[in-house]
Amino acid sequence: MLATLAAAALLAGGGTWALYGSAWLRVEKVTASGTEVLTPEQVLSAAAVPVGAPLVSVDTDEIASRVRGRLSRIDSVDVVRSWPHGIGLKVTERKPVLLIKKGADFTEVDARGVRFDTVAKAPVGVPLLEMAADRSPSARRFDEERLLREAVGIAGSLPDAVAKETVQVKVRSFDSVVLELTKGRTVVWGSGELGEAKGRALTALLKAAPKADHFDVSVPTAPAVSGS
């Protein structure tokens, strides 16, 4: 029994030494993947993984928090140990669903209403937000942030075919949102309620009346179209 206990102690001590004290299981390589707008180098710089440290002692949660804190475009990051010498960073970037004009630049807003970056050039396929609700009676009840979330919800729920055609989301009040499409077409969307039904109705109208220039899906069970 004593011999067994001694052997177990030696193994435990050897294992601890291998993990923390030896040069075998230390961080030698750090990789980043999943980037689209950012570069892997930017992620690696933000992560600041301690190369040379024992792999077992690396705080993966702290690294993930550091990346998110330093790079506002990052929505989530998964940090994994790749034994015996690697750390892998898998990131997911925020995707803009709306743009807010800010001087000559554009502020990107994601599907949760987070303003996460300002860019000099508008990304292709992302509609511009126009707030025109300052004179609306509902302005007292719904502040700009609430209206922004409403617009974001509408933009994020648009069918892909409609989203590609949308160039502007104009908020006149909480229940009066208008979409500006390509070719000068307009869509009265109404409020953000029943978004899926409105999307289906608009998709059908666009196919049925391809030359029309005005659509109304504010009541999706009774959509309307006009112009030619």
Side-chain angles (χ1 to χ4, degrees), residues 35-68:
T35 55
E36 296 182 23
V37 177
L38 297 171
T39 65
E41 290 73 22
Q42 287 174 300
V43 175
L44 295 177
S45 177
V49 177
V51 175
L55 191 59
V56 71
S57 70
V58 172
D59 189 333
T60 55
D61 289 338
E62 182 180 341
I63 292 172
S65 178
R66 195 154 55 229
V67 171
R68 290 193 302 270

Side-chain angles (χ1 to χ4, degrees), residues 172-226:
R172 294 172 174 169
S173 70
F174 181 79
D175 56 0
S176 179
V177 176
V178 175
L179 309 181
E180 298 287 343
L181 306 185
T182 57
K183 302 177 183 178
R185 296 168 295 171
T186 60
V187 180
V188 176
W189 189 268
S191 71
E193 297 178 349
L194 303 176
E196 187 174 338
K198 292 176 180 179
R200 290 196 300 267
L202 180 57
T203 300
L205 289 179
L206 290 171
K207 291 180 179 179
K211 295 183 179 181
D213 55 22
H214 184 74
F215 306 86
D216 189 334
V217 293
S218 56
V219 181
T221 55
V225 60
S226 62

Side-chain angles (χ1 to χ4, degrees), residues 101-105:
K101 194 79 164 66
K102 189 177 182 181
D105 298 327

Side-chain angles (χ1 to χ4, degrees), residues 121-210:
K121 184 178 180 181
V124 176
V126 183
L128 186 66
L129 172 66
E130 180 183 336
M131 285 288 192
D134 53 331
R135 297 183 180 180
S136 167
S138 66
R140 295 182 179 181
R141 295 177 55 200
F142 305 105
D143 60 17
E144 185 173 311
E145 284 301 315
R146 182 64 183 85
L147 294 176
L148 171 62
R149 291 196 297 272
E150 186 79 355
V152 163
I154 291 171
S157 69
L158 294 177
D160 289 343
V162 175
K164 291 177 182 177
E165 299 283 329
T166 305
V167 296
Q168 187 177 75
V169 176
K170 186 174 183 177
V171 180
R172 294 172 174 169
S173 70
F174 181 79
D175 56 0
S176 179
V177 176
V178 175
L179 309 181
E180 298 287 343
L181 306 185
T182 57
K183 302 177 183 178
R185 296 168 295 171
T186 60
V187 180
V188 176
W189 189 268
S191 71
E193 297 178 349
L194 303 176
E196 187 174 338
K198 292 176 180 179
R200 290 196 300 267
L202 180 57
T203 300
L205 289 179
L206 290 171
K207 291 180 179 179

